[in-house]
Amino acid sequence: MLNWVEKYRPKSIDEIIGNNKIKEEIKQWAETIINGGNPKPILLAGPPGCGKTTIANAIANDYNFELIELNASDKRNKDIIHKVVGEASSSMSVSGKKVLIVLDEVDGLSGNNDRGGISEIIKVLKNTKNPIILTANDIYKPTLTTLRNVCNVLKVSPVHTNSIVPLLRKIAKNENLDVDEKVLKIMAKHAGGDVRSVINDLESLALGNNFNEDIVRDLPDRSTDKNIFDAIRIIFKTTHYDIALEATRDLKEDIGTVEEWVCENIPREYKKPNEIALAYDKLSKGDIFIGRVHKRQHYGFWRYASALISAGVALSKDEKYRGFTTFVRPTVFTKMSKTKGSRASLKKVLEKISEKTHISTKRAQEEIQYIEFIINNNIEKGAELCIFYEFTKEDIETLSTKPTAKKILKIIQDKQKKEKIENKEDKNNNKNNNKNNNKNNNNKKNEIIKSIKDSSKINIKNKETKDNKDKDKDKDKNKKKQITLDAFF
C-alpha cells in the first residue's frame, strides 16, 4: 500500500502545483534536448519540499527519459562520480532511451566521503552528452561557486498556501475524510510551502482520525521537521557508517528526538523481519546509553548513543532500499499533544499537594496514587481530602471519574451548606448576646448616670443648706453688731 506522498506524487509536470514559470522553462529545456540540442545542465535550487526532485521525475516521465539518480545517502566522491555519472553522461540506456541524470542535494557534498566530488561533477557537466539536473537547498555555499557558473540556475519557490489548500481538499475527498476547511487552511499555512510535509501531516492525522483544531495548531515547527526529515532519510537510505553518523551531527534536535523518529520509521523502510529486529536491537542499546548519560552524568556516552541510533540502524539492512519512502512524525508527539490538557491539569493537582504537604512535586507524583485510591473507593474520606487540598471541580475530575466527582462535590456542597447554617446561627447568637450585653451595659450606664445625678443633687442641696446657714450666721452677726451700736448710742 502506497503512502500518500507517493500515491499523490505528480506524474506529469503539469500536475505539479505552483512555480509555473519554472515549469515552462524546464519544458523548453527538455524539448531542446529532444530536438537534438545540448543546453546547459539545470541546477534547481530551493528549500526542502518545494518540488525539486518531483520536477526532475516528472520531466523524465513526460519526455520518456531513463532516470539515473544519485542522492545524499550515496557516497559521491571523485571515483564514484566518474564511474556512475561519467559513464552515464556519454551513453544511451539499454532500452535505447536518452538518459536523464539527477544529482540530488549537491550542496551536501562534504568530508572525506565526497572528496573531489564537486570537481569531478564539473568535469562531467562540461563533457556530458546526456541531460543532467542537479538540486540543492543552498546554492550559495562557497564550494558551489564554480558549479553555479556551468549550470542554468532555476530557483524553485516554496508553494503558496493558496495552492496547497485545494490539494489537501482533493486528497481528503479521495480518502473520504471529513475535514473542516479551516483545519486545511491552518495546515497549509503551517507547512511553510513544504508540500511533502503537509501531506505527511494529513496522513498522520488521518491515521488517528483526529482533526481537532488545537492538535493541528500544536504541530511542531516545520523548519525543524525539515532538518530532522533529511537526517532520517539519509540514515535509512545509506549503507555507509560515516555518512549515517554525519547525518545527525549538525541537527538542532537532541538525540532522544532522533531516537523517536528512527523508532517510528524503521518498519516503514525495512521489510525483512531480521533487519527490523536488528535495527530495534541497535536502537535499544542506544537508549541504554542515553539512560546512563542522565543517571551518571557521563556525557561521553552520547557518542555511543548517537552511533548506535544512526549508523547502527543504517547498517542493520542487507542492502539499500531503492524507491521513495514517506517518513512520518513520531505518533508519541501526537499523543502528547492530545494529552496536553490532562497533563496540565495533573500538574496543577501536584502543585496543590506539594504546597499543602510541603513536599516536592516529584514526591507528590508518588503520593498521588494513594489519594486517587481513597477518592475512588471512599467517597466520604475522599471529600475530606479534596477539602483539605482545596481541589476544584476540574482537579477532582482529573483524579476520578465524572460520576465519582459528582458525588464528592455533592458531599462538599452539603458540608459547606451545613457550615454556612451553623455559622449563621452562631452569628445570630453572638448578635443576641451582644444585644443583651449592650442592654445591660446601657442599664448600668443609666444607673451610674442616675447615681451621679442624685449625688449632684445632694451636694447642691447640702451646699444650699450650708449657704443658708452662713447667711443666717452673717445676719445674726450683723444684728448683734447693730444692737451693740444701738446700746452705745
Side-chain angles (χ1 to χ4, degrees), residues 280-487:
Y280 277 120
D281 179 62
K282 300 296 183 186
L283 195 69
S284 66
K285 286 182 171 65
D287 190 62
I288 290 171
F289 278 107
I290 291 174
R292 286 176 180 171
V293 169
H294 294 305
K295 188 174 181 179
R296 302 181 188 178
Q297 298 294 297
H298 190 332
Y299 297 100
F301 286 144
W302 280 129
R303 63 177 180 270
Y304 300 119
S306 180
L308 285 162
I309 290 169
S310 58
V313 171
L315 300 179
S316 297
K317 54 184 175 289
D318 297 330
E319 58 183 0
K320 185 193 301 184
Y321 285 90
R322 295 289 177 182
F324 184 79
T325 303
T326 300
F327 301 115
V328 299
R329 293 175 59 246
T331 52
V332 67
F333 295 159
T334 306
K335 288 176 182 176
M336 286 180 71
S337 64
K338 287 180 183 177
T339 59
K340 186 179 179 182
S342 59
R343 284 185 288 114
S345 299
L346 182 61
K347 186 180 177 183
K348 289 179 182 177
V349 171
L350 292 172
E351 286 172 352
K352 288 182 180 180
I353 296 171
S354 172
E355 185 180 349
K356 279 286 183 179
T357 54
H358 306 289
I359 59 176
S360 66
T361 51
K362 186 177 180 181
R363 175 71 185 277
Q365 201 161 12
E366 297 172 5
E367 301 292 333
I368 199 171
Q369 56 184 321
Y370 305 114
I371 297 171
E372 280 182 309
F373 181 81
I374 294 170
I375 287 174
N376 288 290
N377 292 277
N378 191 325
I379 303 295
E380 292 290 337
K381 290 290 182 184
E384 289 179 18
L385 280 175
C386 291
I387 292 169
F388 173 75
Y389 288 115
E390 298 180 7
F391 288 155
T392 62
K393 179 184 176 183
E394 290 75 16
D395 297 335
I396 299 169
E397 287 180 352
T398 300
L399 298 171
S400 65
T401 60
K402 284 193 175 182
T404 303
K406 193 174 180 181
K407 290 176 184 177
I408 289 174
L409 286 168
K410 189 176 186 306
I411 292 171
I412 292 172
Q413 287 169 358
D414 290 342
K415 283 189 177 184
Q416 288 173 343
K417 283 180 183 177
K418 189 178 178 181
E419 286 176 3
K420 196 174 180 182
I421 292 168
E422 288 175 355
N423 289 335
K424 194 174 180 181
E425 288 176 354
D426 290 341
K427 193 176 179 182
N428 289 333
N429 290 334
N430 290 334
K431 192 175 180 182
N432 291 331
N433 290 334
N434 289 335
K435 193 174 180 181
N436 291 331
N437 289 334
N438 289 336
K439 190 175 180 181
N440 292 333
N441 289 336
N442 287 333
N443 289 336
K444 285 181 180 178
K445 186 179 178 183
N446 291 333
E447 286 176 4
I448 291 168
I449 291 170
K450 187 180 178 184
S451 174
I452 292 169
K453 283 183 177 180
D454 291 344
S455 179
S456 298
K457 283 180 180 180
I458 291 168
N459 289 335
I460 291 167
K461 191 174 181 181
N462 290 337
K463 190 177 180 184
E464 287 177 352
T465 305
K466 188 180 178 184
D467 290 344
N468 289 334
K469 282 182 178 180
D470 290 340
K471 281 181 181 180
D472 291 340
K473 192 175 180 181
D474 289 341
K475 193 175 179 182
D476 291 340
K477 192 176 181 182
N478 289 332
K479 189 176 179 184
K480 188 176 181 182
K481 194 183 280 187
Q482 188 178 7
I483 290 172
T484 303
L485 287 173
D486 288 341

Side-chain angles (χ1 to χ4, degrees), residues 40 47 67 74 81 97 113 122 212 226 262-263 306 326 354 389 418 468:
K40 289 170 72 174
L67 188 66
D74 300 300
I81 294 293
K97 296 180 181 179
N113 302 310
I122 293 169
N212 183 279
K226 287 172 187 174
V262 172
C263 180
S306 180
T326 300
S354 172
Y389 288 115
K418 189 178 178 181
N468 289 334

Side-chain angles (χ1 to χ4, degrees), residues 190-191 201 215-226 228 253 261 329-330 333-334 337:
H190 170 79
D201 285 341
I215 290 176
V216 174
R217 290 186 188 279
D218 281 342
L219 289 171
D221 182 59
R222 184 50 61 198
S223 60
T224 301
D225 276 2
K226 287 172 187 174
I228 193 77
E253 297 301 305
W261 275 83
R329 293 175 59 246
F333 295 159
T334 306
S337 64

Side-chain angles (χ1 to χ4, degrees), residues 71 73 236-239 266 268-276 316-325:
N71 56 41
S73 63
F236 282 116
K237 291 297 183 184
T238 192
T239 53
I266 284 173
R268 286 179 169 268
E269 177 70 15
Y270 299 165
K271 306 305 177 188
K272 298 175 184 177
N274 64 304
E275 292 178 345
I276 294 173
S316 297
K317 54 184 175 289
D318 297 330
E319 58 183 0
K320 185 193 301 184
Y321 285 90
R322 295 289 177 182
F324 184 79
T325 303

Side-chain angles (χ1 to χ4, degrees), residues 127-235:
N127 300 299
T128 183
K129 294 180 181 177
N130 285 322
I132 298 178
I133 295 178
L134 304 92
T135 74
N137 297 327
D138 181 11
I139 60 167
Y140 296 106
K141 280 192 172 183
T143 53
L144 301 184
T145 303
T146 310
L147 191 63
R148 290 197 302 270
N149 295 333
V150 295
C151 293
N152 179 19
V153 179
L154 300 179
K155 294 182 180 179
V156 184
S157 304
V159 182
H160 196 276
T161 302
N162 294 340
S163 299
I164 294 176
V165 174
L167 174 64
L168 294 178
R169 192 187 300 123
K170 177 186 174 183
I171 295 172
K173 185 179 179 182
N174 289 346
E175 298 294 334
N176 297 316
L177 301 177
D178 184 18
V179 188
D180 188 82
E181 185 77 8
K182 188 177 180 181
V183 169
L184 295 180
K185 287 180 180 178
I186 294 170
M187 291 180 71
K189 189 175 180 181
H190 170 79
D194 189 337
V195 178
R196 177 179 61 206
S197 295
V198 77
I199 295 174
N200 283 337
D201 285 341
L202 184 66
E203 184 178 12
S204 177
L205 293 170
L207 289 171
N209 195 26
N210 195 331
F211 291 96
N212 183 279
E213 189 176 322
D214 292 333
I215 290 176
V216 174
R217 290 186 188 279
D218 281 342
L219 289 171
D221 182 59
R222 184 50 61 198
S223 60
T224 301
D225 276 2
K226 287 172 187 174
N227 295 333
I228 193 77
F229 179 88
D230 292 336
I232 295 303
R233 181 166 56 83
I234 291 172
I235 289 170

Side-chain angles (χ1 to χ4, degrees), residues 5-151:
V5 170
E6 197 61 35
K7 184 176 180 181
Y8 294 101
R9 180 184 289 279
K11 301 297 187 291
S12 170
I13 196 77
D14 294 326
E15 295 175 5
I16 298 172
I17 59 174
N19 290 294
N20 294 328
K21 186 178 178 181
I22 299 298
K23 290 190 293 186
E24 288 302 318
E25 289 189 48
I26 290 278
K27 283 181 184 178
Q28 291 174 12
W29 176 80
E31 286 169 4
T32 302
I33 293 166
I34 294 296
N35 294 327
N38 189 23
K40 289 170 72 174
I42 284 181
L43 174 55
L44 296 174
C50 65
K52 302 185 294 294
T53 307
T54 300
I55 288 172
N57 280 272
I59 280 291
N61 287 335
D62 286 347
Y63 293 91
N64 202 28
F65 292 134
E66 185 78 32
L67 188 66
I68 294 178
E69 186 177 0
L70 209 62
N71 56 41
S73 63
D74 300 300
K75 278 192 175 182
R76 297 178 292 180
N77 56 33
K78 181 178 179 180
D79 293 337
I80 291 174
I81 294 293
H82 178 74
K83 184 178 178 180
V84 178
V85 182
E87 291 179 6
S89 66
S90 59
S91 60
M92 297 289 288
S93 67
V94 177
S95 60
K97 296 180 181 179
K98 206 168 186 64
V99 174
L100 172 62
I101 301 166
V102 176
L103 293 175
D104 207 10
E105 298 183 26
V106 291
D107 54 328
L109 270 71
S110 62
N112 293 329
N113 302 310
D114 300 328
R115 188 179 298 278
I118 292 289
S119 58
E120 187 63 28
I121 287 173
I122 293 169
K123 186 177 177 182
V124 169
L125 293 180
K126 289 179 178 178
N127 300 299
T128 183
K129 294 180 181 177
N130 285 322
I132 298 178
I133 295 178
L134 304 92
T135 74
N137 297 327
D138 181 11
I139 60 167
Y140 296 106
K141 280 192 172 183
T143 53
L144 301 184
T145 303
T146 310
L147 191 63
R148 290 197 302 270
N149 295 333
V150 295
C151 293

